[in-house]
Amino acid sequence: MAKITFIDPKGERRTVEAPEGWSVMEAAVKNAIPGIDADCGGACACATCHVYVDPAWAAKLPPKEEMEETILDFAQDVTKASRLSCQLKVTAVLDGLVVTTPKNQH
Amino acid sequence: MTETIVIIGAGQAGAQAVISLRAEGFSGPITLIGDEAYAPYQRPPLSKAYLMGTFERARLFLKPESFYADAGCTLIVNTAVTAVDRATKTVRLSDGRALSYSKLLIATGTRVRPIPCPGAGLSGIHSLRSIADVDGLQAVFRPGKKLVVIGGGFIGLEVAAVAAKHGLDVTVFEAMERVMARAVSTPISDFFAIAHRAAGVTLITSTGVDGFEGEGAVSGVRAGGKTYPADIVLVGIGVLPNVEIAAAAGLECKNGLVVDKYCATSDPAIFAAGDCTWHQGRGHGEDEGNWMRLESVQNAIDQAKHAAASMVGKPKPYNEVPWFWSDQYDLKLQIAGLAWPGDEIVVRGEPSARKFSVFHLRGGVLAAVEAVNMPADYLVGRKLIGEHAKVSAARLADTSIPIKNVVG
């Protein structure tokens, strides 16, 4: 289990427990975190699970693969901190991860 | 008086309707009724990672069970609705209960089409739509077993891919001359046929199945005048809409429960969403949309959103671009829009590189895209289809122009 904190655009924090091996997107959806739609369930088909990773954590994440890089191009308000949460696998290293959800996924 | 909403069908559309009704501000009681043993779950992984065993059951569920109670929704599982009485606005349940509704959402989905062949009742003949179906299949899914798949559609080919990776000896029969013929264009069918054969699958097209052989358990499949040995059979020849209770209640049904652009039926208190609906798709130019039934996550989610909006008195027309996907081996097929016969077809990229896309133009306007391992083509295509964009065939075919810049 790893603790992951989601901060919404208004600054409200929600912390959930995520089993290792799941994606950060799944941890969000299963805990009804608002702002992560993930319509396709992680099939890289919808670009609706965009998050901003806290700068302190960016270096601990695996680099983006081509598929994620490409899909992020089509998300709204993308910054250097942007990741697709369906592509972030939960590991012990990510215990304490903090991400912010965007205003809009569509 | 407080309004009460009853939702028949605890699938993707039913769960989305609960979410959307609350997001739209509906505050009355909601009851969600499903005939399976489980809270709403994702079906797409069933024929992919869940069958492969790399995706545990807990991950299938769309929401934790506590979500429904927290949302003020009573979830009833293992229970079928046996009748809808429109005069008294009541649904009757298989456990004998009756529930009143102010508004009703029918999201009953589909069931697998039975195969009308002698021997279809033998054990060892499986279909795949539910968690229970996969659990039954997994129990016999062992390396070296002879698996015969009947139907070269998405489900059949996804199972064939998992089975081939798992070391089973796989034969696929497709009655049409090419695989996935109902869903994809010829270049895509041809590409996937090659991929499956390269993975060791025996793919036999233009061949229907005549019957099954075996004593109690299936041991062979008769097709094209021969008998093919089989330890396991998977039948994936499509689905039928669950519209019997709607039809019995006097609601108009065709190849699905008829709804208008607002997901409303002819009864002002009854709405419908998802795989079970017969609805008018998106128009193209001067053409009004065709009437159709769509079996997809996208349609379930988007129709549920529209039905929820209609149920709270904020109707907006359903006009979404359909999208679909399939994973087979390392190949991610992503489709947006609906291709028609007669579309101009443009292939972008090289199939032999296992990365290419097929674009469909109708009157110069982009109507559909089918992308293999090309998510950018899919995403740009989906956006342009939504905008009814005119696109040059020559520019689409020119891979030196980044897809983002294809219009302009």
Side-chain angles (χ1 to χ4, degrees), chain A residues 19-23 26 28-33 36-48 66-68 70-74 89 106, chain B residues 12 16 42 44 55-56 58-64 67 297 301-302 305 323-325 327 332 334 355 373 375-376 378-380 382-383 403-404:
Chain A
E20 286 179 36
W22 288 31
S23 69
E26 288 177 281
V29 169
K30 300 293 192 296
N31 288 284
I33 298 293
I36 296 188
D37 295 346
D39 288 348
C40 75
C44 262
C46 69
T48 61
E66 192 188 346
M67 184 84 82
E68 181 181 354
T70 308
I71 290 179
L72 268 176
D73 261 359
F74 299 96
K89 201 177 226 187
H106 289 273
Chain B
Q12 183 101 41
Q16 183 64 47
Q42 310 173 63
F55 195 93
E56 68 200 275
R59 297 175 74 177
L60 292 173
F61 295 98
L62 288 164
K63 293 287 173 195
F67 165 83
V297 165
I301 291 175
D302 286 332
K305 288 178 179 173
W323 49 268
F324 315 85
W325 77 93
D327 296 326
K332 181 171 283 295
Q334 297 172 296
K355 286 175 82 155
N373 289 346
Y378 159 77
L379 284 164
V380 169
R382 188 170 138 193
K383 181 163 166 283
I403 190 68
K404 277 197 283 193

Side-chain angles (χ1 to χ4, degrees), chain B residues 10-11 36-42 61-65 68 75 77 131:
Chain B
E36 288 184 59
Y38 304 105
Y41 60 89
Q42 310 173 63
F61 295 98
L62 288 164
K63 293 287 173 195
E65 227 162 293
Y68 300 94
L75 173 63
V77 297
I131 288 178

Side-chain angles (χ1 to χ4, degrees), chain B residues 44-56 59-60 134 138 158 162 327:
Chain B
L46 293 180
S47 49
K48 309 176 183 84
Y50 184 65
L51 177 62
M52 193 70 189
T54 55
F55 195 93
E56 68 200 275
R59 297 175 74 177
L60 292 173
V134 181
Q138 255 175 348
E158 286 172 3
V162 173
D327 296 326

Side-chain angles (χ1 to χ4, degrees), chain B residues 129-354:
Chain B
R129 180 158 180 85
S130 65
I131 288 178
D133 291 341
V134 181
D135 291 350
L137 192 55
Q138 255 175 348
V140 293
F141 228 59
R142 297 286 174 266
K145 293 267 189 191
K146 287 187 169 34
L147 169 70
V148 174
V149 174
I150 301 170
F154 281 0
I155 292 284
L157 293 184
E158 286 172 3
V159 171
V162 173
K165 274 207 254 183
H166 225 74
L168 281 79
D169 176 357
V170 186
T171 301
V172 177
F173 287 101
E174 168 53 49
M176 310 272 279
E177 64 185 13
R178 61 187 179 88
V179 295
M180 302 184 285
R182 199 165 61 95
V184 305
S185 62
T186 303
I188 299 288
S189 292
D190 292 349
F191 172 79
F192 275 89
I194 291 168
H196 279 277
R197 287 178 176 135
V201 171
T202 304
L203 172 61
I204 303 171
T205 54
S206 304
T207 305
V209 165
D210 304 316
F212 302 102
E213 292 181 357
E215 300 289 330
V218 69
S219 61
V221 174
R222 284 201 306 276
K226 283 166 63 175
T227 298
Y228 296 80
D231 301 311
I232 313 166
V233 171
L234 177 89
V235 179
I237 56 169
V239 293
L240 300 170
N242 291 325
V243 293
E244 286 72 11
I245 53 167
L251 297 169
E252 188 188 1
C253 294
K254 292 183 174 167
N255 176 22
L257 171 52
V258 176
V259 293
D260 66 12
K261 288 256 177 201
Y262 305 94
C263 296
T265 69
S266 52
D267 182 325
I270 305 181
F271 301 79
D275 287 16
C276 70
T277 69
W278 182 249
H279 66 275
Q280 194 173 17
R282 224 168 142 263
H284 186 92
E286 299 290 301
D287 297 313
E288 288 197 13
N290 288 349
W291 283 83
M292 62 184 72
R293 204 165 55 68
L294 281 179
E295 297 151 14
S296 73
V297 165
Q298 171 275 323
N299 186 56
I301 291 175
D302 286 332
Q303 279 196 326
K305 288 178 179 173
H306 283 76
S310 294
M311 292 170 99
V312 299
K314 296 189 264 186
K316 44 182 198 285
Y318 179 67
N319 197 28
E320 309 299 316
V321 177
W323 49 268
F324 315 85
W325 77 93
S326 178
D327 296 326
Q328 298 167 35
Y329 311 105
D330 59 336
L331 304 168
K332 181 171 283 295
L333 171 63
Q334 297 172 296
I335 302 171
L338 296 173
W340 289 0
D343 288 347
E344 180 185 358
I345 283 180
V346 181
V347 177
R348 177 179 171 90
E350 191 45 60
S352 62
R354 295 170 85 83

